[in-house]
Every structure is written in C-alpha cells, then in structure tokens.
C-alpha cells in the first residue's frame, strides 16, 4: 500500500516541529555547526590570497575545498546511515581539526600551491556533515506529514540564512590583524556544534536501518528517482554558480566591487522570506512536477539580468525577484528524498543532494569566469538561464521516476506521540 506524503506546511507547523520533544538540543547544536558552512571556504580563500598574494592559488584551494565537500558529503552520509550519526561525526571532527591545522601551518610556512590545494581538499572532505545528519534526524522525531515537511523547510531556510551571514562574517574577520582568524573561528563553531549535536540524546538514540539498497555499491544513487533529484540539484547549483561570479564582476566593472557580496546577500534575503510562505502552499503540488517547474522558473527569472549589467540598481531588483525561488528548491530537494531514496539511505541521499549542488556551483563558477573574462558579463547570465532550462527539461523528461516508489511505513516515534 502506498504511503501518502504531505508536502505542505502551516506556519503553526514550524513551531510544532521545533518544539517536538527531543528536538531542542539538536536544533541548537546544528545551528552552531552549520553557521560557518559558507564561511570556512570563503575565509580560507581570503586567507590564502592575503598570505600568498595570488587569487589564482586561492581559487585553486577554494575549488579543492568544494570538491572535498562534494566527496565527503556522500561518504559521511553513507557511513551515518550504517552506524548512526554520533560516531561518524566525532571521527569527522577529529579529522577536520587536523586538516584545518595542517592547512594553516602550510600557509604560514609558504608551502607550494599543490600541497595547499591537497590540504584544502582534505578540509572539505572532513567537514562534519551535520546538515545531512540533522535532516535525517527529523525522520526519527516526527511522523510523515506536514509537521515533518515544516522541519525540512526550516532546515532549508536556516541554511539560507547562514549563506547570508557566512560571507559577511568572513569579510569582516579577514580584516583582523591575522588573516586566518575567520578560518579558525569558523572551524571552532563547526567543531563545537558538531560535537554537541553528536552527543545529544536524540542523535545517540538513532539506530541505523539496513536494507539491500544500503549495501549496494551505488547506495542511494542506484534509485532512478534519486538520480533525477540529483540532476535537479545539479541544475540548481549550476544556475546559482554562474550568477555568483557574474554579479561581483558587474559590481567591479561599475567601480563598486564591495557591493557584489551585498547584492548576492539580497537574493538570499528574499529567498528566506518567500521560503516561509512557499512552504505553506507549495506549487506545483506533485513533486514530479515541482522539481522541473521550480528550476525552470528560476532560470527564466535569471535571464533578464543580462539586460541589467550596466545598472546595479536594476540588477539588484532582478536578484531580489529571482531569489524567491532559491529556498523553495532547497525545500523541495529535501522533501523529495522521502519519495526517491531507498529505505535506510536518507542521510546518504541528502549527501548526494549536497554533492550535486556543490559540483554544480563549481562548474558554474569556472565556466562563468571564462565567459566574464572572454565574452562579457551578460553572456554569463544568459548561459546561467540556458543551463538551468536545459537541465529542467531533462528533469521533466525523467519526472515519472519521482514518486514511483513510496517509502515503507514508518512507526510513529515515541517522541511524537502526544
């Protein structure tokens, strides 16, 4: 018998989710652990650039860190599905601490670029994936339905807030007497928050679920629906990646380079505000239609920015409008996992979403940089829209794979029984 999964949430559901017995401590700890998620990588880039004097080397180190995150998300997710979150997170914290220490020592000792890139990659691989663990924890705290959906929406919205605060904190701390201050502060928050989350009673009570799919070599990605979801997440990352390079380039060309980061924060702001209301009445209803529709609409709204590159005001307005579709996509990706991930692979499945978005960002950054340099800034926005629409079309063609298998019935958690 199929299990009907609700994909909408009332505002009251947010409060119900966050006040669920057992959720308080994990929520607080995960907030601290995830706050520097967009801060560590940027702080590392700024730190390396300040110490080496080279944006080229700093960019390679940052790219290495992104690739590391993409790899580590899946590896850690699969391990947490098999062992629960506590032990894997504690091991990741130890390795992450060693990696951050190593890269700082290497930068201070002016080691060659290849070693810095390798160490930057190790920082990304070992970064504790508290976001994936936090998302998966809700399945043990709440039964399927609108309250759990509200919890997923909260995860997406809070993450978007950190993508606003992270770069701002990185920019402030790089001006400290020692340029590596942001790296250390971000790492400390991540380590303390990860340890706190791993040791909460709710996280320690999680028992791994076994399944044939979990033991397969491909794991969660063996599911056709999961591959479709990963494709949608990749398209989202690619579309955003183009814009994240083109906007600072436009601000620099206009003679107001510092405004680039502020303008990107603006579209995250509208994303958070609209995300709260979108979760109440998500559209389209069926997830198989929602994934391509949201990506396609996002891409369409990016296209007009190509006409506004000479006016930072109009470009900012364009960002505000396009930004409303960011959090809805993140929420849809998180919710769709329940429909497409094989039983027992939820954490790894979320890791694949993170990996797909990260690889998309890396691809968007690299291609957009070439377009800005050799063709022009408008070309980057056009390419962003074109790539988003192309991938949205591919997701549409694969829409039948989403929801083809419903999750097996889950027992209602004791903590959720009133």
């Amino acid at each position: 018998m199929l299990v009907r999964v609700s994909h909408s949430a009332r505002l009251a559901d947010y409060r119900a989710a966050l006040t669920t017995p057992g959720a308080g401590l994990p929520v607080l700890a995960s907030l601290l652990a995830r706050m520097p998620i967009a801060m560590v990588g940027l702080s590392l880039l700024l730190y390396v650039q300040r110490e080496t004097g080279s944006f080229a080397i700093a960019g390679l180190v940052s790219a290495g860190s992104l690739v590391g995150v993409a790899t580590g998300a899946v590896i850690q997710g699969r391990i947490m599905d098999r062992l629960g979150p506590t032990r894997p997170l504690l091991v990741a914290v130890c390795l992450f601490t060693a990696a951050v220490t190593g890269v700082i020592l290497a930068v201070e000792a002016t080691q060659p670029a290849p070693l810095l890139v390798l160490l930057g990659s190790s920082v990304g691989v070992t970064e504790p994936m508290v976001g994936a663990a936090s998302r998966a924890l809700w399945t043990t705290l709440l039964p399927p339905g609108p309250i759990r959906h509200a919890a997923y929406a909260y995860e997406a919205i809070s993450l978007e807030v950190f993508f606003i605060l992270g770069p701002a904190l990185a920019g402030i701390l790089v001006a400290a007497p020692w340029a590596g201050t942001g790296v250390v502060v971000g790492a400390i928050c991540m380590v303390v928050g990860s340890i706190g989350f791993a040791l909460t009673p709710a996280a320690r009570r999680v028992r791994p679920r076994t399944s044939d799919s979990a033991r397969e070599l491909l794991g969660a990605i063996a599911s056709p629906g999961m591959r479709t979801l990963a494709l949608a997440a990749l398209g989202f990352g690619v579309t955003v990646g183009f814009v994240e390079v083109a906007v600072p380039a436009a601000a620099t060309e206009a003679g107001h380079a510092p405004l680039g980061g502020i303008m990107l924060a603006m579209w995250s702001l509208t994303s958070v505000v609209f995300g709260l209301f979108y979760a109440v009445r998500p559209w389209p209803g069926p997830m198989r239609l929602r994934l391509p529709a949201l990506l396609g609409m996002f891409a369409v709204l990016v296209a007009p920015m190509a006409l506004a590159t000479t006016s930072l005001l109009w470009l900012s307005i364009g960002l505000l409008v396009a930004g409303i579709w960011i959090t809805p996509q993140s929420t849809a990706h998180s919710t769709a996992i329940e429909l497409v991930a094989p039983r027992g692979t939820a954490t790894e499945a979320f890791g694949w979403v993170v990996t797909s978005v990260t690889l998309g960002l890396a691809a968007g950054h690299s291609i957009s940089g070439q377009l800005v340099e050799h063709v022009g800034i408008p070309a980057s926005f056009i390419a962003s829209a074109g790539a988003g629409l192309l991938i949205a079309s591919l997701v549409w063609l694969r829409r039948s794979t989403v929801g083809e298998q419903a999750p097996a019935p889950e027992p209602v958690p004791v903590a959720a029984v009133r």
Side-chain angles (χ1 to χ4, degrees):
M1 182 176 65
L2 296 182
V3 177
R4 181 176 179 83
V5 180
S6 174
H7 300 303
S8 63
R10 297 175 296 110
L11 293 178
D13 293 333
Y14 288 102
R15 180 176 180 276
L18 297 177
T19 56
T20 295
L25 290 177
V27 165
L28 292 176
S30 66
L31 285 175
L32 182 61
R34 292 181 298 156
M35 184 189 70
I37 193 169
M39 175 184 172
V40 172
L42 181 58
S43 294
L44 183 60
L45 183 148
L46 297 174
Y47 172 44
V48 173
Q49 191 280 325
R50 178 73 67 86
E51 295 298 323
T52 64
S54 171
F55 272 107
I57 295 176
L60 288 173
V61 174
S62 177
S65 177
L66 282 175
V67 172
V69 170
T71 304
V74 174
I75 295 173
Q76 291 187 43
R78 180 171 294 196
I79 294 173
M80 282 190 275
D81 278 327
R82 296 188 176 188
L83 303 178
T86 298
R87 284 181 291 169
L89 282 177
L90 293 177
V91 171
V93 163
C94 295
L95 296 175
F96 176 70
T97 302
V100 171
T101 302
V103 76
I104 290 175
L105 292 176
V107 171
E108 294 296 322
T110 62
Q111 293 297 311
L115 178 59
L116 296 182
V117 173
L118 179 62
L119 290 171
S121 300
S122 70
V123 170
V125 169
T126 59
E127 186 174 297
M129 291 296 148
V130 174
S134 178
R135 188 267 173 208
L137 187 62
W138 290 110
T139 63
T140 69
L141 294 174
L142 295 169
I147 297 180
R148 187 191 287 183
H149 175 71
Y152 294 155
Y154 157 77
E155 294 283 334
I157 292 167
S158 62
L159 192 62
E160 197 61 41
V161 171
F162 298 142
F163 274 103
I164 298 173
L165 296 178
L169 290 173
I172 293 172
L173 292 175
V174 76
W178 178 51
T181 301
V183 177
V184 173
V185 171
I188 289 175
C189 290
M190 193 167 284
V191 165
V192 174
S194 298
I195 293 175
F197 180 91
L199 296 180
T200 59
R204 296 180 69 179
R205 282 197 300 266
V206 173
R207 293 294 178 264
R209 297 174 180 175
T210 58
S211 70
D212 293 337
S213 297
R215 289 190 289 269
E216 290 177 359
L217 178 62
L218 293 179
I221 206 66
S223 162
M226 190 63 226
R227 292 196 291 272
T228 302
L229 174 57
L231 181 63
L234 177 72
F236 171 66
V238 169
T239 307
V240 171
F242 275 101
V243 176
E244 285 187 343
V245 172
V247 169
T252 300
E253 187 175 83
H256 302 286
L259 290 180
I262 297 175
M263 291 167 68
L264 288 175
M266 289 170 60
W267 83 338
S268 292
L269 183 62
T270 54
S271 169
V272 170
V273 174
F274 184 75
L276 286 168
F277 295 98
Y278 177 85
V280 177
R281 293 184 179 276
W283 180 90
M287 187 61 69
R288 66 180 184 278
L289 302 180
R290 194 181 308 176
L291 291 175
L294 290 177
L295 177 56
M297 288 187 293
F298 183 48
V300 167
L301 291 176
V302 167
M305 297 183 201
L307 303 175
T309 56
T310 57
S311 171
L312 296 187
L313 174 61
W314 284 108
L315 185 56
S316 298
I317 293 174
L319 287 166
L320 287 171
V321 174
I324 64 178
W325 296 113
I326 294 178
T327 295
Q329 289 183 83
S330 299
T331 304
H333 297 161
S334 184
T335 305
I337 288 174
E338 291 196 344
L339 295 176
V340 300
R343 183 175 174 82
T345 65
T347 315
E348 180 193 340
F350 190 85
W352 277 110
V353 171
V354 173
T355 293
S356 300
V357 172
T358 303
L359 292 178
L361 286 171
H365 285 177
S366 59
I367 300 173
S368 185
Q370 296 298 316
L371 289 175
V372 166
E373 186 84 15
H374 301 294
V375 182
I377 297 172
S380 185
F381 288 111
I382 294 172
S384 174
L389 286 172
L390 174 61
I391 298 177
S393 299
L394 296 176
V395 175
W396 168 263
L397 293 175
R398 293 180 54 88
R399 64 189 183 280
S400 62
T401 63
V402 178
E404 64 178 4
Q405 62 175 41
E410 301 179 51
V412 178
V414 174
V417 177
R418 295 293 190 272

